[in-house]
Amino acid sequence: MDKEGKEKRGRGSGEPRHPMPEQDPRARTGNFDEVALGYREEDAVAEASRCLQCRKKPCVAGCPVEIDIPTFIASIEKGDFLGAAAKLKEKNNLPAICGRVCPQETQCEAECTLGKKGEPVAIGRLERFAADFEAAQGNVPVPPVLPPTGKRVAVIGSGPAGLTCAGDLARMGHQVTIFEALNAPGGVLTYGIPEFRLPKSIVEREVEYIRSLGVEILLDQVIGCTTTLQELLDSGYHAAFIGIGAGLPMFMDIPGENLNGVYSANEYLTRSNLMKAYLFPQYDTPIKRGRRVAVIGGGNVALDSARTALRLGAEEVTIVYRRSRAEMPARAEEVAHAAEEGVRFKFLTLPQRILGEKGWVRAMECIRMELGEPDESGRRRPVPVPGSEFEMEVDLVIMAIGTRANPLLPSTIPELRLNRWGYIDADPDTGQTSIPNVFAGGDIVTGSATVIEAMGAGKRSARAIHRLLTGEEPPF
């Protein structure tokens, strides 16, 4: 857009943000291709020109990894797309991932000045655009890496916290090795988020960038089984970061949960994503393809499970949530996508037992709820309505009610202090644990949170580890 056109339209004039091109809902339920198609160059420039370039940069305060948002957006507006990507990577090692799955609407975009009276700048969509543009050019540049410090750091877990911590430490000159329990890197990015929201090729691309910084990634390394944390430290690592997430699934403890046809969302999504059941018959991974599917929960994981079940051939998929739509923690965009695709929603409903026939799920008995007084989370507590029980005919039930800390690694480290919920007790500013030179961050410390919050924790720990090992302030 030329200067005259921009002045005519005027910044902050209330122009709505540019929509994201998407697959048609009727087509996308028949494939696992990415739903959002990304901005074209002209869309990105036009959206970037909406930014007010506020002097105080309130959006930056809403970013857990401190991206200089106005500057990268200004580069897009000028058509300097590679410059925008470079600015992003000064703070964010995984911009193509964050641009797809981070809840910008509650973080950076929530602080956008334009959003006070209209629609905020589409910061996440612009981040995705810049990262994808850079990748499409090939030969992604590697930022400067400081001279070797001679210090070695072990990072346990290759999810968003581990990848961020490892990438930042490598750029600071440390020798970093990531130990990943699974047979592919990425953690929840790989096993937990479906292809239609986060293609695995994007995760692989971002992981290769971390490798290009000099980070070594070892797979099939279950720390606590194949080796212990103490053995790592004894073998020459000067510090360690624990970023193993919180992947132990939770169940409701109701009758019938042991029937065939009841999955945790973790298992269901891992079979589909990591084990590639969605690519049948190319990958012959066993997974139940239900006809009538109930998904219990109201978060992003519940929606991911429901939309996966649709794509695997279910005739009817219903989200069963004990509160109302207003209390759902899932992203509004994901709820809208699910509704467009035909997912049904049964609010104010609580399963009481799962009914079976010959060992397999045949129905689910539920009770209707009403909202009472707020609980400790600030949301109104759901209360059963007496005499409102009813049955739902289902043949597949997916429990997506949350996760908790897996005790495998912590149970092998007696000196590691845990809180009453089994998460690692770590300093919120540095990630320092009760063991000298051992740090932790992400879901294993906070419980289930967002990808970008885990990345922020990894970044803070990387800085703290650098100070510990060198006695110097981190360069970024």
Side-chain angles (χ1 to χ4, degrees), residues 17 22 87 94 152 183 415 424:
R17 63 177 177 181
E22 297 175 348
K87 176 57 65 173
L94 312 171
R152 300 175 67 204
N183 63 352
E415 310 90 337
I424 296 174

Side-chain angles (χ1 to χ4, degrees), residues 349-363:
T349 301
L350 181 70
Q352 290 193 307
R353 61 178 178 145
I354 302 169
L355 308 174
E357 185 175 294
K358 297 180 180 179
W360 288 87
V361 173
R362 71 161 182 85

Side-chain angles (χ1 to χ4, degrees), residues 258-281:
N258 61 339
L259 287 166
N260 292 314
V262 179
Y263 282 94
S264 69
N266 272 39
E267 180 183 357
Y268 188 75
L269 291 173
T270 297
R271 285 179 179 274
S272 178
N273 299 329
L274 179 66
M275 300 171 70
K276 302 187 185 301
Y278 73 94
L279 290 177
F280 179 86

Side-chain angles (χ1 to χ4, degrees), residues 356-426:
E357 185 175 294
K358 297 180 180 179
W360 288 87
V361 173
R362 71 161 182 85
M364 187 167 68
E365 183 184 286
C366 302
I367 188 168
R368 302 194 191 281
M369 312 291 283
E370 60 185 6
L371 294 179
E373 295 301 313
D375 62 15
E376 62 276 3
S377 72
R379 296 179 296 175
R380 295 174 65 191
R381 186 186 303 276
V383 180
V385 177
S388 64
E389 293 84 356
F390 68 98
E391 281 189 15
M392 290 178 60
E393 182 186 342
V394 295
D395 59 359
L396 177 62
V397 176
I398 302 170
M399 294 291 178
I401 59 173
T403 58
R404 57 183 187 270
N406 191 316
L408 192 153
L409 174 59
S411 68
T412 67
I413 314 170
E415 310 90 337
L416 188 63
R417 188 167 59 241
L418 308 178
N419 64 23
R420 59 184 175 139
W421 300 283
Y423 297 106
I424 296 174
D425 186 3

Side-chain angles (χ1 to χ4, degrees), residues 87-142:
K87 176 57 65 173
L88 283 166
K89 285 188 172 177
E90 288 179 4
K91 295 288 187 177
N92 186 351
N93 293 322
L94 312 171
I97 291 172
C98 291
R100 286 168 164 83
V101 302
C102 286
Q104 292 92 4
E105 66 275 10
T106 62
Q107 295 176 153
C108 54
E109 292 178 9
E111 304 301 324
C112 176
T113 303
L114 274 182
K116 306 306 177 186
K117 293 185 177 180
E119 292 185 290
V121 176
I123 298 169
R125 296 173 183 178
L126 292 175
E127 181 178 26
R128 167 186 167 150
F129 168 80
D132 287 356
F133 182 89
E134 180 190 59
Q137 309 311 301
N139 299 317
V140 174
V142 177

Side-chain angles (χ1 to χ4, degrees), residues 237-299:
Y237 288 98
H238 300 92
F241 174 78
I242 302 173
I244 57 175
L248 190 66
M250 295 172 64
F251 287 87
M252 295 185 66
D253 194 24
I254 59 176
E257 280 187 319
N258 61 339
L259 287 166
N260 292 314
V262 179
Y263 282 94
S264 69
N266 272 39
E267 180 183 357
Y268 188 75
L269 291 173
T270 297
R271 285 179 179 274
S272 178
N273 299 329
L274 179 66
M275 300 171 70
K276 302 187 185 301
Y278 73 94
L279 290 177
F280 179 86
Q282 182 182 349
Y283 288 83
D284 190 11
T285 300
I287 193 168
K288 168 77 172 172
R289 285 169 165 79
R291 186 171 62 89
R292 292 188 174 180
V293 180
V295 181
I296 316 305

Side-chain angles (χ1 to χ4, degrees), residues 39 88 96 126 146 172 175 178 182 278 286 364 384 451 456:
Y39 277 159
L88 283 166
L126 292 175
L146 297 180
M172 295 176 193
Q175 184 180 343
I178 294 178
L182 297 176
Y278 73 94
M364 187 167 68
V451 167

